[in-house]
Amino acid sequence: MKNIEQTSYRSALETVIGLKEKFGDRWSSIAPHNAARMITQNQFKTGLDIAQYTANIMRQDMADYDNNPSNYTQSLGCWHGFVAQQKMIAVKKHYKTTNKKYLYLSGWMVAALRSEFGPLPDQSMHEKIAVPALIEEIYNFLRQADAIELNDLYRRLERGEDVQDQIDNFETHIVPIIADIDAGFGNEEATYLLAKKMIQAGACAIQIENQVSDAKQCGHQDGKVTVPHEDFIAKLNAVRYAFLELGIDNGIIVARTDSEGAGLTQKLPVSKEPGDLASKYLDFVECEEVAIGDVSDNEVLLKRNGKLVRPVRLANGLYKFREGTNIDRVVLDCITSLQNGADLLWIETPTPHVGQIAHMVNRVKEVVPNAKLVYNNSPSFNWTLNFRNQVYEEMLAEGENMTEYDRNNLMDAEYDGSELCFRADEKIKSFQLDAAREAGVFHHLITLPTYHTTALHMNDLTEGYFGEEGMLAYVKGVQRQEIRKGVSCVKHQRMAGSDLGDDHKTFFAGDNALKAGGAKNTSNQFETKQSGIKETPKQETAVA
């Protein structure tokens, strides 16, 4: 897809030519074609430009999904700008377009990898400003990917290659980020202030969860404490006001509910009339019937169904929800969020099971027919074991003889080539499409993939490099693979901006420029040999 409102080389050129005429001899050393080239290599001047552009993309993608659920979108979590950059470069290389491909910014990875305190658990203990800082970093790296690729195209054009169409229809590496604001890092004013910073850095979609901010836990761990709906709605409003204040009128709010696995609440909301939201929330609280004479001083009591009841309260002051209410709470959370400004839902689940997800989402759709889900394809799930268990149940129901399988040890490698393994892997392979079609999942993401790939690759390289393979471990396992697969950063000097910088220095200093890309630059060893390219001198208006 061509950039929306993309600045053309021609219009930029004409603008700079006009400015040269205005300022006369003082601008004699400014070459309009160089300036126009730099302008078109940086389509997005601010983070708000990015937020508006990417919000438009997401809104269109949401409409496409409503028309056909096979139009689901995907992302991978990235904890550094370089990781995000290489991901999007690979997306363009393999699929020729960034269409329906996003980025995810995980609060878990910010806590584990980006905090000045050092590695932290996912409990909102990291610096809140680390989140917008990472968004800005990611988009700086993606803008540099644009500049590097366009700079290469301009160089090829000047050598006589016919790449004008590629320049005119260049597709940016800039894509939407769904950014995790955890539970809002404080009260609703704190949420508003942080949301503004995230939007100004470029975020078009902000994901917020209904846990208590100062008691936040990872969605796949125990001890989660949720807030009453009124408190969560206030934070949804805070995020929406932040979008509106900054002029992003179509920004996206992803409302996450942790109620499926949360059994506690910190507050008992005030019900003003029977059946209101506070009343529904209170109905979920576990209580025990009491007589007034059995009640101690300063105890909290409720009237329920004409009887006096006492909410079950833990020693830490938290209240318990009734067992078996979690799914009903999830459904009410989702409906309430969509009715109060959220655009997309996120339901944390205990396992990746399409039927279980669909059961909840379909109940939501009875009230909000176009409800759509962002789903966490989490590494916290043991995907192999989960799907082998699902297939085991299916095969058993089909009358298959399952005596060759140890139900308590299905993860064992001895089953890797079995029929059960094959069927389970096929279900994993189709999981995203199945969930998009059957369970309303608009966006699939993996929160922590690059956390795990970094650890895995370092494990493999370390084993070989410090062992008998020595340098061959790096050459065979890394560099040769980069060369064979055309991975852009094999020429790491270019990827860091060396060629781009050389051209800029030439623009600025002319023949006096001290450039890095000469004959003694060892990166030349990685150049692809090309033939039949005619060198042509640079012209003042060489690019139309």
Side-chain angles (χ1 to χ4, degrees):
M1 180 172 63
K2 190 174 179 180
N3 292 1
I4 297 172
E5 298 180 355
Q6 182 176 10
T7 301
S8 71
Y9 177 90
R10 173 59 62 185
S11 64
L13 182 67
E14 291 173 353
T15 298
V16 179
I17 289 173
L19 288 170
K20 279 200 68 170
E21 293 173 353
K22 176 180 177 180
F23 289 100
D25 291 343
R26 288 183 297 156
W27 282 33
S28 60
S29 61
I30 300 297
H33 71 280
N34 290 341
R37 179 168 152 180
M38 295 177 73
I39 291 168
T40 55
Q41 286 172 191
N42 181 19
Q43 300 292 327
F44 304 94
K45 312 308 180 190
T46 71
L48 289 179
D49 292 339
I50 292 172
Q52 186 63 72
Y53 169 72
T54 53
N56 291 339
I57 290 174
M58 277 197 72
R59 290 290 177 179
Q60 183 59 58
D61 288 346
M62 290 162 68
D64 291 346
Y65 175 83
D66 287 339
N67 290 329
N68 183 346
S70 67
N71 291 320
Y72 63 89
T73 56
Q74 299 168 290
S75 66
L76 296 171
C78 299
W79 55 271
H80 193 279
F82 176 72
V83 176
Q85 179 196 65
Q86 292 304 302
K87 172 197 160 184
M88 295 318 302
I89 288 173
V91 164
K92 286 190 67 176
K93 181 181 75 173
H94 292 297
Y95 303 104
K96 312 306 177 188
T97 179
T98 61
N99 187 37
K100 304 292 191 290
K101 310 294 191 295
Y102 300 173
L103 293 164
Y104 180 66
L105 187 151
S106 161
W108 193 102
M109 284 210 283
V110 173
L113 299 169
R114 301 295 300 237
S115 174
E116 293 186 12
F117 292 110
L120 295 171
D122 184 21
Q123 296 174 359
S124 288
M125 294 190 291
H126 57 278
E127 307 86 342
K128 63 178 70 176
I129 57 171
V131 181
L134 179 54
I135 297 169
E136 182 178 11
E137 175 183 290
I138 286 173
Y139 280 128
N140 282 339
F141 271 82
L142 295 183
R143 282 190 278 203
Q144 187 192 45
D146 280 359
I148 289 170
E149 185 177 340
L150 278 165
N151 193 66
D152 288 348
L153 287 170
Y154 281 120
R155 282 185 166 194
R156 290 171 60 190
L157 187 71
E158 290 169 0
R159 292 199 302 264
E161 291 188 60
D162 183 12
V163 294
Q164 187 64 58
D165 184 66
Q166 294 181 52
I167 293 171
D168 293 341
N169 294 285
F170 177 80
E171 183 176 10
T172 179
H173 296 83
I174 299 291
V175 295
I177 283 179
I178 297 176
D180 186 0
I181 199 172
D182 281 11
F185 284 89
N187 62 25
E188 53 267 34
E189 174 69 3
T191 301
Y192 152 77
L193 293 171
L194 179 56
K196 277 181 61 178
K197 286 291 187 184
M198 293 167 68
I199 298 162
Q200 288 168 333
C204 73
I206 293 179
Q207 166 221 328
I208 186 166
E209 62 203 54
N210 69 336
Q211 291 191 47
V212 175
S213 183
D214 60 358
K216 184 258 189 299
Q217 295 278 15
C218 172
H220 291 279
Q221 293 184 313
D222 204 356
K224 294 184 289 295
V225 186
T226 62
V227 298
H229 296 100
E230 294 85 352
D231 292 18
F232 191 57
I233 291 169
K235 292 193 173 183
L236 296 179
N237 291 340
V239 176
R240 181 62 67 202
Y241 274 110
F243 273 124
L244 292 173
E245 178 182 338
L246 296 171
I248 312 300
D249 56 4
N250 60 350
I252 291 93
I253 299 175
V254 182
R256 172 176 140 180
T257 173
D258 283 273
S259 289
E260 198 285 335
L264 302 169
T265 184
Q266 191 177 58
K267 291 172 62 176
L268 299 179
V270 177
S271 175
K272 297 179 181 178
E273 58 183 59
D276 62 10
L277 268 178
S279 176
K280 292 176 181 177
Y281 192 81
L282 290 168
D283 283 343
F284 293 126
V285 176
E286 183 176 334
C287 295
E288 53 191 7
E289 187 177 344
V290 294
I292 193 65
D294 298 329
V295 178
S296 303
D297 289 346
N298 300 316
E299 284 203 83
V300 176
L301 302 177
L302 297 173
K303 179 183 177 183
R304 179 181 288 173
N305 299 323
K307 298 177 181 179
L308 194 64
V309 297
R310 176 171 52 206
V312 174
R313 198 175 192 184
L314 305 182
N316 55 16
L318 299 174
Y319 297 93
K320 290 181 62 178
F321 288 116
R322 288 186 289 114
E323 289 290 330
T325 64
N326 55 335
I327 303 303
D328 290 338
R329 284 185 279 123
V330 165
V331 172
L332 182 60
D333 292 347
C334 290
I335 293 170
T336 302
S337 294
L338 291 174
Q339 291 176 334
N340 288 275
D343 302 289
L344 296 168
L345 301 171
W346 174 313
I347 301 173
E348 285 286 21
T349 66
T351 59
H353 191 292
V354 172
Q356 292 173 358
I357 303 165
H359 172 69
M360 292 181 281
V361 174
N362 288 337
R363 287 181 59 186
V364 176
K365 285 187 172 185
E366 291 175 4
V367 181
V368 186
N370 68 339
K372 290 180 283 295
L373 200 65
V374 171
Y375 188 72
N376 178 8
N377 292 225
S378 176
S380 293
F381 302 140
N382 184 333
W383 286 77
T384 301
L385 183 58
N386 269 289
F387 280 82
R388 287 184 181 182
N389 278 324
Q390 291 179 37
V391 169
Y392 184 94
E393 292 291 341
E394 292 176 3
M395 293 174 70
L396 200 63
E398 293 166 4
E400 294 277 351
N401 182 354
M402 305 301 289
T403 55
E404 66 179 286
Y405 300 105
D406 178 359
R407 179 64 193 268
N408 297 316
N409 195 28
L410 293 180
M411 189 67 197
D412 198 299
E414 72 172 287
Y415 300 131
D416 285 356
S418 67
E419 174 67 13
L420 182 142
C421 169
F422 173 78
R423 288 179 57 170
D425 284 357
E426 285 298 302
K427 285 177 72 72
I428 294 171
K429 181 179 178 180
S430 67
F431 173 80
Q432 294 190 340
L433 179 59
D434 294 341
R437 183 182 58 250
E438 301 171 23
V441 177
F442 159 73
H443 185 78
H444 283 281
L445 61 89
I446 306 178
T447 44
L448 320 175
T450 51
Y451 181 89
H452 291 278
T453 55
T454 300
L456 176 63
H457 292 162
M458 287 312 301
N459 174 79
D460 294 348
L461 177 59
T462 298
E463 180 183 22
Y465 178 73
F466 292 102
E468 293 182 0
E469 284 190 302
M471 192 58 196
L472 181 61
Y474 175 78
V475 173
K476 185 178 179 180
V478 181
Q479 189 179 78
R480 194 176 297 162
Q481 295 300 313
E482 290 177 310
I483 294 170
R484 299 287 185 254
K485 296 177 181 179
V487 176
S488 60
C489 69
V490 68
K491 294 190 283 188
H492 51 260
Q493 308 286 15
R494 167 190 169 274
M495 201 67 254
S498 182
D499 291 354
L500 181 66
D502 273 1
D503 284 4
H504 287 174
K505 285 185 282 187
T506 302
F507 299 167
F508 307 152
D511 292 339
N512 294 329
L514 181 63
K515 297 189 287 186
K520 294 184 179 180
N521 187 325
T522 58
S523 288
N524 295 334
Q525 298 171 28
F526 299 98
E527 289 293 337
T528 302
K529 295 186 181 296
Q530 298 182 6
S531 59
I533 299 173
K534 182 179 179 182
E535 295 286 344
T536 56
K538 184 185 293 186
Q539 300 295 323
E540 182 73 6
T541 56
V543 185

